[in-house]
PDB file of all heavy atoms in Angstrom:
ATOM      1  N   VAL A 519      -6.003   3.536  15.096  1.00 95.00           N
ATOM      2  CA  VAL A 519      -7.172   3.915  15.893  1.00 95.00           C
ATOM      3  C   VAL A 519      -8.451   3.489  15.187  1.00 95.00           C
ATOM      4  O   VAL A 519      -9.376   2.936  15.792  1.00 95.00           O
ATOM      5  CB  VAL A 519      -7.164   5.445  16.149  1.00 95.00           C
ATOM      6  CG1 VAL A 519      -8.501   5.906  16.695  1.00 95.00           C
ATOM      7  CG2 VAL A 519      -6.038   5.817  17.103  1.00 95.00           C
ATOM      8  N   MET A 520      -8.502   3.685  13.865  1.00 95.00           N
ATOM      9  CA  MET A 520      -9.713   3.328  13.126  1.00 95.00           C
ATOM     10  C   MET A 520      -9.903   1.809  13.073  1.00 95.00           C
ATOM     11  O   MET A 520     -11.010   1.310  13.250  1.00 95.00           O
ATOM     12  CB  MET A 520      -9.648   3.917  11.709  1.00 95.00           C
ATOM     13  CG  MET A 520      -9.814   5.425  11.693  1.00 95.00           C
ATOM     14  SD  MET A 520     -10.174   6.095  10.070  1.00 95.00           S
ATOM     15  CE  MET A 520      -8.650   5.845   9.229  1.00 95.00           C
ATOM     16  N   VAL A 521      -8.803   1.087  12.848  1.00 94.00           N
ATOM     17  CA  VAL A 521      -8.919  -0.375  12.798  1.00 94.00           C
ATOM     18  C   VAL A 521      -9.437  -0.895  14.135  1.00 94.00           C
ATOM     19  O   VAL A 521     -10.250  -1.809  14.199  1.00 94.00           O
ATOM     20  CB  VAL A 521      -7.564  -1.023  12.449  1.00 94.00           C
ATOM     21  CG1 VAL A 521      -7.608  -2.527  12.656  1.00 94.00           C
ATOM     22  CG2 VAL A 521      -7.180  -0.714  11.012  1.00 94.00           C
ATOM     23  N   ASN A 522      -9.002  -0.252  15.211  1.00 92.00           N
ATOM     24  CA  ASN A 522      -9.420  -0.674  16.548  1.00 92.00           C
ATOM     25  C   ASN A 522     -10.923  -0.518  16.758  1.00 92.00           C
ATOM     26  O   ASN A 522     -11.513  -1.181  17.597  1.00 92.00           O
ATOM     27  CB  ASN A 522      -8.652   0.137  17.593  1.00 92.00           C
ATOM     28  CG  ASN A 522      -8.979  -0.286  18.994  1.00 92.00           C
ATOM     29  OD1 ASN A 522      -8.917  -1.470  19.312  1.00 92.00           O
ATOM     30  ND2 ASN A 522      -9.344   0.667  19.838  1.00 92.00           N
ATOM     31  N   GLU A 523     -11.549   0.404  16.010  1.00 91.00           N
ATOM     32  CA  GLU A 523     -12.984   0.629  16.172  1.00 91.00           C
ATOM     33  C   GLU A 523     -13.820  -0.372  15.394  1.00 91.00           C
ATOM     34  O   GLU A 523     -15.037  -0.388  15.524  1.00 91.00           O
ATOM     35  CB  GLU A 523     -13.352   2.052  15.725  1.00 91.00           C
ATOM     36  CG  GLU A 523     -12.743   3.157  16.571  1.00 91.00           C
ATOM     37  CD  GLU A 523     -13.158   3.056  18.032  1.00 91.00           C
ATOM     38  OE1 GLU A 523     -14.304   2.649  18.301  1.00 91.00           O
ATOM     39  OE2 GLU A 523     -12.310   3.363  18.901  1.00 91.00           O
ATOM     40  N   ILE A 524     -13.192  -1.148  14.556  1.00 92.00           N
ATOM     41  CA  ILE A 524     -13.959  -2.056  13.699  1.00 92.00           C
ATOM     42  C   ILE A 524     -14.249  -3.350  14.441  1.00 92.00           C
ATOM     43  O   ILE A 524     -13.350  -3.970  15.010  1.00 92.00           O
ATOM     44  CB  ILE A 524     -13.202  -2.290  12.379  1.00 92.00           C
ATOM     45  CG1 ILE A 524     -13.326  -1.036  11.517  1.00 92.00           C
ATOM     46  CG2 ILE A 524     -13.761  -3.488  11.640  1.00 92.00           C
ATOM     47  CD1 ILE A 524     -12.426  -1.018  10.336  1.00 92.00           C
ATOM     48  N   ARG A 525     -15.529  -3.719  14.489  1.00 89.00           N
ATOM     49  CA  ARG A 525     -15.911  -4.892  15.245  1.00 89.00           C
ATOM     50  C   ARG A 525     -16.037  -6.129  14.362  1.00 89.00           C
ATOM     51  O   ARG A 525     -15.870  -7.237  14.842  1.00 89.00           O
ATOM     52  CB  ARG A 525     -17.250  -4.655  15.966  1.00 89.00           C
ATOM     53  CG  ARG A 525     -17.159  -3.625  17.056  1.00 89.00           C
ATOM     54  CD  ARG A 525     -16.436  -4.175  18.276  1.00 89.00           C
ATOM     55  NE  ARG A 525     -16.049  -3.087  19.177  1.00 89.00           N
ATOM     56  CZ  ARG A 525     -14.884  -2.466  19.142  1.00 89.00           C
ATOM     57  NH1 ARG A 525     -13.972  -2.801  18.237  1.00 89.00           N
ATOM     58  NH2 ARG A 525     -14.603  -1.503  19.977  1.00 89.00           N
ATOM     59  N   SER A 526     -16.342  -5.936  13.090  1.00 91.00           N
ATOM     60  CA  SER A 526     -16.521  -7.090  12.205  1.00 91.00           C
ATOM     61  C   SER A 526     -15.169  -7.746  11.957  1.00 91.00           C
ATOM     62  O   SER A 526     -14.253  -7.145  11.408  1.00 91.00           O
ATOM     63  CB  SER A 526     -17.145  -6.642  10.889  1.00 91.00           C
ATOM     64  OG  SER A 526     -16.773  -7.532   9.864  1.00 91.00           O
ATOM     65  N   ARG A 527     -15.015  -8.976  12.411  1.00 91.00           N
ATOM     66  CA  ARG A 527     -13.734  -9.659  12.258  1.00 91.00           C
ATOM     67  C   ARG A 527     -13.370  -9.839  10.796  1.00 91.00           C
ATOM     68  O   ARG A 527     -12.217  -9.735  10.412  1.00 91.00           O
ATOM     69  CB  ARG A 527     -13.785 -11.043  12.923  1.00 91.00           C
ATOM     70  CG  ARG A 527     -13.649 -10.968  14.418  1.00 91.00           C
ATOM     71  CD  ARG A 527     -13.522 -12.342  14.999  1.00 91.00           C
ATOM     72  NE  ARG A 527     -12.281 -12.990  14.581  1.00 91.00           N
ATOM     73  CZ  ARG A 527     -11.964 -14.240  14.888  1.00 91.00           C
ATOM     74  NH1 ARG A 527     -12.798 -14.978  15.582  1.00 91.00           N
ATOM     75  NH2 ARG A 527     -10.829 -14.762  14.496  1.00 91.00           N
TER      76      ARG A 527
END
Side-chain angles (χ1 to χ4, degrees):
Chain A
V519 167
M520 289 195 291
V521 169
N522 183 51
E523 295 301 325
I524 286 169
R525 293 286 165 268
S526 153
R527 282 188 66 184

